[in-house]
């Protein structure tokens, strides 16, 4: 009985004696080997992916000496091709389902705020990237080469057809509203030109003379390539419509949520194949290279300008913005993205890297699903920091090659056009080169020199994609910080409302039920008093 009383009073739970004195037991020290094993287990996929890139470089350099033909190179790179096909396979269901479920789960007011903050961040960072590109090009001066202009053989046929600036932006707007959703999964709208002979009657002093001129007429055509911008717009609007339905839309919302979760399970399986696929992607690309020495000798300064600019933006600017806003370590956040960034480097496609980016951001960096699956698909479509930077470098590089002195108006035009045109850049390999012609046309530079850009795009485009993907992830992290901060402020405001200061008398009007009953009581007393008053004669 006495033991029970001691137990109830807490007297039986005595601390053990340490050095003759009562105290807390010492914590057992974890061996260093166990800590290392724990870190390795937690980051095994990251280590495998980075190792895949490094091993792929060495394998590619070793296989180059075998002098494989085109067929053998294609067979050699098959495991890498398989990875790209697996990632592209789940892009459409992932983008559509994640955006529909995300738009349907977020309040319309919050949705507008999130979208507004995201677009502001994407616009600012893209403009900063464009400015870095112009500054780097003027510092390094890649176009001022000794001797004749560099010439790359066999690249003349790859120059995209130049387009009018107005038609390029009209195509962007047209792609926002696809006429066929099924076709948008593999085709996008693009303007081409045909020459039409126009006959005009010109009257002069001698009489009527029939004169004919040729007019360039824009004609719409569906080109190969996913119209992911149109799918994004449709999915967001469709999700908002489902939320508007209320209970009637719950079934479809649950369907898209389940579809989304199942797709993410597939992504987690693909992630374990990614290191092997990336290794062969990198190795096969190195084997494909022709005459690397001559290429780097003629275009080495241009490559260095782009890569250094990407490093500055990715390792300094973006982390600095994240740190200034959140006061958190940006490189810890960046470490959680290594798998997705390595995949971006290997595949050279921000769209193909999207599934792994969602997985990394949610599991490693604590971004909630409704934010990551809403913002990241939009970022993969409209946020192209790396592409904007390289396009500005390329524009100044081509101007320097042709001895064209750009004035301040032309530089500003390059900045604005690169920022705006990067929104419409396809999230596919060499997608940024296709929009470079818009910038060159805007400032009157020749588009034929794009062949030089295409010659080294296989390398520059990889660092572009890494920066694009990194910018998307930091955008998701910043939005998560804003949402958490807003929630804490609202929670604090609610607690302030209900908190009662010590010693302060409670006011009846603070409690509605008491106020109501006292009012009824007062009314009752008044009514009784009225009834008890002697009736007065109206006479």
């Amino acid at each position: 009985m006495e033991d029970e009383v001691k137990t109830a009073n807490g007297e039986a739970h005595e601390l053990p004696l340490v050095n003759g004195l009562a105290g807390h037991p010492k914590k057992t020290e974890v061996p260093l080997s166990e800590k290392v094993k724990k870190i390795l287990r937690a980051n095994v996929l990251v280590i495998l992916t980075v190792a895949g890139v490094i091993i792929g470089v060495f394998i590619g350099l070793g296989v180059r000496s075998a002098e494989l033909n085109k067929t053998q190179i294609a067979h050699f790179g098959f495991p890498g091709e398989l990875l790209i096909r697996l990632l592209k396979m789940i892009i459409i269901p992932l983008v559509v389902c994640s955006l529909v479920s995300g738009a349907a789960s977020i309040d319309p007011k919050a949705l507008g705020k999130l979208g507004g903050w995201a677009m502001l961040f994407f616009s600012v960072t893209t403009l900063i990237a464009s400015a870095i590109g112009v500054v780097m090009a003027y510092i390094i001066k890649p176009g001022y080469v000794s001797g004749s202009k560099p010439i790359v053989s066999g690249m003349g046929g790859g120059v995209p057809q130049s387009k009018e600036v107005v038609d390029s932006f009209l195509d962007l707007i047209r792609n926002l509203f696809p006429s066929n959703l099924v076709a948008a999964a593999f085709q996008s709208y693009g303007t081409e030109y045909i020459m039409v002979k126009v006959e005009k009657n010109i009257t002069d002093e001698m009489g009527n003379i029939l004169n004919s001129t040729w007019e360039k007429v824009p004609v719409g055509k569906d080109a190969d390539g996913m119209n992911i911008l149109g799918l994004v717009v449709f999915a967001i609007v469709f999700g908002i419509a489902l939320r508007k339905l209320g209970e009637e839309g719950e079934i479809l919302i649950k369907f898209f949520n389940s579809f989304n979760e199942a797709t993410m399970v597939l992504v987690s399986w693909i992630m374990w194949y990614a290191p092997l696929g990336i290794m062969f992607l990198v190795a096969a690309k190195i084997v494909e290279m022709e005459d690397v020495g001559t290429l780097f000798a003629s275009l080495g300064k241009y490559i260095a300008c782009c890569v250094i600019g990407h490093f500055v933006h990715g390792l300094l600017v973006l982390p600095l913005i994240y740190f200034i806003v959140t006061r958190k370590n940006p490189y810890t956040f960046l470490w959680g993205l290594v798998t997705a960034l390595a995949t971006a480097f290997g595949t050279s496609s921000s769209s193909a890297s999207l599934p792994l980016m969602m997985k990394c951001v949610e599991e490693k960096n604590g971004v909630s699903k409704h934010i990551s699956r809403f913002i990241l698909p939009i970022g993969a479509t409209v946020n192209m920091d790396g592409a904007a930077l390289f396009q500005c470098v390329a524009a100044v590089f081509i101007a320097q090659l042709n001895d064209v002195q750009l004035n301040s108006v032309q530089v500003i035009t390059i900045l604005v056009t690169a920022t705006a045109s990067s929104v419409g850049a396809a999230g596919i390999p060499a997608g940024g080169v296709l929009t470079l012609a818009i910038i060159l046309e805007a400032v009157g530079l020749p588009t034929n020199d794009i062949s030089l850009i295409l010659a080294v795009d296989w390398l520059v485009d990889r660092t572009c994609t890494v920066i694009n993907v990194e910018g998307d992830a930091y955008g998701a992290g910043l939005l998560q910080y804003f949402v958490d901060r807003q929630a804490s402020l609202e929670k604090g405001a609610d607690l302030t409302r209900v908190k009662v200061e010590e010693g302060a008398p409670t006011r009846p009007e603070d409690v509605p039920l008491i106020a109501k009953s006292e009012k009824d009581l007062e009314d009752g007393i008044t009514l009784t008093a009225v009834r008890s008053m002697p009736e007065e004669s109206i006479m």
Side-chain angles (χ1 to χ4, degrees), residues 8 25 85 109 145 156 252 352 484 529:
R85 294 179 69 88
K109 293 181 180 178
V145 293
L252 266 181
D484 292 342

Side-chain angles (χ1 to χ4, degrees), residues 41-97:
R41 281 196 298 267
N43 299 284
V44 61
L45 194 59
V46 175
I47 296 169
L48 288 175
T49 307
V50 174
V53 175
I54 297 171
I55 294 172
V57 171
F58 284 103
I59 291 177
L61 293 174
V63 174
R64 275 182 65 84
S65 59
E67 297 182 356
L68 304 180
N69 57 35
K70 297 289 185 183
T71 304
Q72 290 171 333
I73 292 174
H75 292 163
F76 176 71
F78 174 74
E81 179 191 352
L82 191 60
L83 173 64
I84 294 180
R85 294 179 69 88
L86 287 172
L87 291 172
K88 287 185 175 181
M89 174 185 68
I90 58 177
I91 288 175
I92 292 177
L94 183 66
V95 168
V96 174
C97 295

Side-chain angles (χ1 to χ4, degrees), residues 93-252:
L94 183 66
V95 168
V96 174
C97 295
S98 63
L99 283 174
V100 170
S101 60
S105 62
I106 302 175
D107 183 71
K109 293 181 180 178
L111 184 67
K113 289 182 181 179
L114 283 179
W117 279 113
M119 294 309 297
L120 177 64
F121 173 77
F122 293 156
S123 302
V124 170
T125 55
T126 304
L127 190 58
I128 293 174
S130 301
I132 292 174
V134 171
V135 171
M136 293 300 300
Y138 274 104
I139 292 175
I140 299 178
K141 299 179 180 179
Y144 294 137
V145 293
S146 59
S148 60
K149 180 194 279 190
I151 298 174
V152 182
S153 60
M155 296 303 299
V159 180
Q161 182 185 12
S162 60
K163 234 193 283 190
E164 298 291 337
V165 178
V166 175
D167 290 326
S168 299
F169 285 104
L170 289 178
D171 287 348
L172 177 63
I173 297 173
R174 291 186 185 104
N175 283 319
L176 287 173
F177 309 100
S179 58
N180 189 330
L181 281 175
V182 177
F186 52 86
Q187 284 183 335
S188 59
Y189 186 93
T191 296
E192 292 186 353
Y193 299 97
I194 59 172
M195 301 304 293
V196 177
K197 189 175 182 180
V198 179
E199 295 182 352
K200 294 182 179 179
N201 288 327
I202 300 176
T203 305
D204 57 7
E205 296 178 355
M206 302 297 294
N208 293 332
I209 299 176
L210 187 63
N211 190 12
S212 62
T213 59
W214 292 91
E215 182 180 353
K216 186 167 70 171
V217 180
V219 177
K221 183 181 178 182
D222 289 327
D224 290 336
M226 186 191 310
N227 180 13
I228 194 168
L229 198 60
L231 294 175
V232 163
V233 171
F234 171 79
I236 294 174
V237 175
F238 190 70
I240 296 173
L242 286 179
R243 183 180 179 88
K244 189 74 174 176
L245 284 177
E247 294 183 0
E248 296 179 1
E250 287 294 330
I251 297 176
L252 266 181

Side-chain angles (χ1 to χ4, degrees), residues 194-387:
I194 59 172
M195 301 304 293
V196 177
K197 189 175 182 180
V198 179
E199 295 182 352
K200 294 182 179 179
N201 288 327
I202 300 176
T203 305
D204 57 7
E205 296 178 355
M206 302 297 294
N208 293 332
I209 299 176
L210 187 63
N211 190 12
S212 62
T213 59
W214 292 91
E215 182 180 353
K216 186 167 70 171
V217 180
V219 177
K221 183 181 178 182
D222 289 327
D224 290 336
M226 186 191 310
N227 180 13
I228 194 168
L229 198 60
L231 294 175
V232 163
V233 171
F234 171 79
I236 294 174
V237 175
F238 190 70
I240 296 173
L242 286 179
R243 183 180 179 88
K244 189 74 174 176
L245 284 177
E247 294 183 0
E248 296 179 1
E250 287 294 330
I251 297 176
L252 266 181
I253 293 174
K254 290 180 180 178
F255 166 77
F256 282 110
N257 287 335
S258 300
F259 205 130
N260 199 9
E261 294 300 327
T263 307
M264 294 307 292
V265 172
L266 293 178
V267 171
S268 64
W269 294 347
I270 295 173
M271 286 179 74
W272 290 102
Y273 177 73
L276 180 65
I278 291 169
M279 182 177 71
F280 279 95
L281 276 173
V282 175
K285 204 64 189 179
I286 292 176
V287 174
E288 282 180 13
M289 293 190 300
E290 298 178 1
D291 199 6
V292 183
T294 305
L295 196 64
F296 274 79
S298 59
L299 298 173
K301 290 176 70 176
Y302 165 74
I303 297 171
C305 190
C306 291
V307 173
I308 293 172
H310 287 147
F311 269 98
V312 170
H313 189 71
L315 294 180
L316 296 178
V317 176
L318 289 176
L320 182 62
I321 293 174
Y322 182 82
F323 173 75
I324 290 174
V325 175
T326 65
R327 299 296 177 182
K328 297 179 182 177
N329 189 346
Y331 298 105
T332 303
F333 188 93
L334 193 61
W335 174 251
L337 309 174
V338 171
T339 304
L341 296 180
T343 306
F345 183 84
T347 60
S348 186
S349 170
S350 54
S351 298
S353 307
L354 178 61
L356 299 185
M357 178 54 65
M358 285 185 177
K359 200 76 175 172
C360 291
V361 163
E362 292 170 9
E363 295 182 357
K364 300 291 185 179
N365 294 322
V367 178
S368 61
K369 293 180 180 179
H370 73 276
I371 290 179
S372 67
R373 300 182 188 183
F374 175 73
I375 294 301
L376 289 179
I378 298 175
T381 308
V382 303
N383 184 37
M384 299 289 173
D385 293 359

